[in-house]
Amino acid sequence: MNASSLPSKTYSTSYRLADWAVIAVTVVALLAGWLIKNSVESRSVPFEASGISAQIPQGWLMASAEGNGILHVTDPLSSGFGTTYSIDNIPTASDATIGQTVSLLILERGQALTAFRVLDQKQVTVFGRAAYEIDYVYVESNPNLTHNQIPNIVRGLDYIFLNGDHAIVATYWADENAFESDLGRFQRFLSSLKF
């Protein structure tokens, strides 16, 4: 019996170039898709009321603001609790300190939100402006008893800016699971805030 050897495959230069071309086209397509996704997600529309302006994400639902609120928008595509941005323009005494304003806001949040807990609070500088940051959580449950939805843990951030005899409060609420991933978009919103 003869031992026969299997012919070895040899790849020509054109096969190697074709392999590299497929890899290159795939990488370019993935990069283009990522760029398109980011440009769509970062589209915004201008908002202006009571001398306060900002760029809000395009396609978000705007609700009528209540009380001192001038803006309340929610992402309709959020899973769980809808990611929400709001701006409140709260009148304060002309000699009110940031500490007094923060204490009143925390008291108000504690009375209005279920299982409200402050995680952290500190003075910060936000895009060159002095502010006070409050990081907190609360439980949001649907008040409709016939709706079988599990309550959501919502994480919130408030940024309080003193502006003469008013306090401007920029708020970010998101489902605990989406808080970190949506925070960058809120930072872009916050950077566009003018008053």
Side-chain angles (χ1 to χ4, degrees), residues 23-24 30 34 40 44-45 72 76 97 99 130 137 147 152 154 157 161 171 183:
I23 292 170
L30 288 172
W34 181 76
V40 168
S44 60
V45 293
H72 187 97
T97 65
V137 295
H147 192 54
N152 297 89
V154 177
L157 272 178
F161 304 90
T171 300
L183 187 56

Side-chain angles (χ1 to χ4, degrees), residues 24 85 104 141 162:
Y85 303 166
L104 289 173
S141 59
L162 288 183

Side-chain angles (χ1 to χ4, degrees), residues 3-155:
S4 63
S5 62
L6 296 174
S8 63
K9 290 186 178 180
T10 57
Y11 289 103
S12 68
T13 305
S14 61
Y15 280 123
R16 287 187 196 124
L17 286 176
D19 289 344
W20 284 108
V22 167
I23 292 170
V25 167
T26 303
V27 168
V28 168
L30 288 172
L31 182 60
W34 181 76
L35 290 172
I36 290 169
K37 173 188 167 284
N38 281 343
S39 72
V40 168
E41 286 179 348
S42 63
R43 286 185 189 161
S44 60
V45 293
F47 166 81
E48 200 275 318
S50 304
I52 299 171
S53 64
Q55 295 290 321
I56 58 175
Q58 186 176 22
W60 283 33
L61 302 175
M62 188 175 294
S64 58
E66 300 172 1
N68 295 316
I70 61 169
L71 174 71
H72 187 97
V73 293
T74 303
D75 183 0
L77 302 177
S78 298
S79 61
F81 178 84
T83 300
T84 302
Y85 303 166
S86 65
I87 299 173
D88 293 311
N89 191 6
I90 303 169
T92 61
S94 59
D95 60 345
T97 65
I98 191 75
Q100 293 167 331
T101 306
V102 168
S103 295
L104 289 173
L105 182 63
I106 289 174
L107 181 62
E108 179 184 303
R109 295 271 194 246
Q111 292 173 346
L113 303 174
T114 304
F116 173 81
R117 297 290 180 269
V118 174
L119 301 175
D120 191 21
Q121 55 181 321
K122 59 189 171 196
Q123 289 188 340
V124 294
T125 301
V126 179
F127 302 105
R129 271 193 187 162
Y132 203 90
E133 176 188 88
I134 306 170
D135 185 3
Y136 55 92
V137 295
Y138 69 95
V139 175
E140 175 66 31
S141 59
N142 191 330
N144 184 350
L145 295 176
T146 62
H147 192 54
N148 61 352
Q149 184 177 13
I150 296 174
N152 297 89
I153 297 175
V154 177
R155 184 121 174 244

